[in-house]
Amino acid sequence: MKPLQISPETAIALSKKLGVPLEHLMHMPQHILMQKIADLAKADATTDAPSKEDKQ
């Protein structure tokens, strides 16, 4: 399996955000990485969304 084709800046940012060592991130299967990114996006969306109380 070849390393992911992402920029060094993106790899470092993802490594910090996911809490995964850079070496592990670069050799992580693409489908697993995509799932982790989707989970991060979902978590960010729920924390950024205003609650119903904020709208009133």
Side-chain angles (χ1 to χ4, degrees):
M1 178 177 4
K2 65 180 183 175
L4 296 171
Q5 301 297 309
I6 57 177
S7 72
E9 294 84 12
T10 301
I12 292 169
L14 281 172
S15 174
K16 288 179 182 177
K17 195 91 162 159
L18 294 171
V20 175
L22 190 57
E23 296 81 16
H24 292 189
L25 178 81
M26 293 306 294
H27 293 285
M28 186 179 290
Q30 187 173 4
H31 69 281
I32 294 174
L33 179 61
M34 295 305 289
Q35 182 62 47
K36 289 184 179 285
I37 292 172
D39 292 344
L40 273 178
K42 203 179 295 183
D44 284 347
T46 58
T47 58
D48 291 343
S51 65
K52 290 180 181 179
E53 295 172 1
D54 292 341
K55 291 182 181 179
Q56 295 178 357

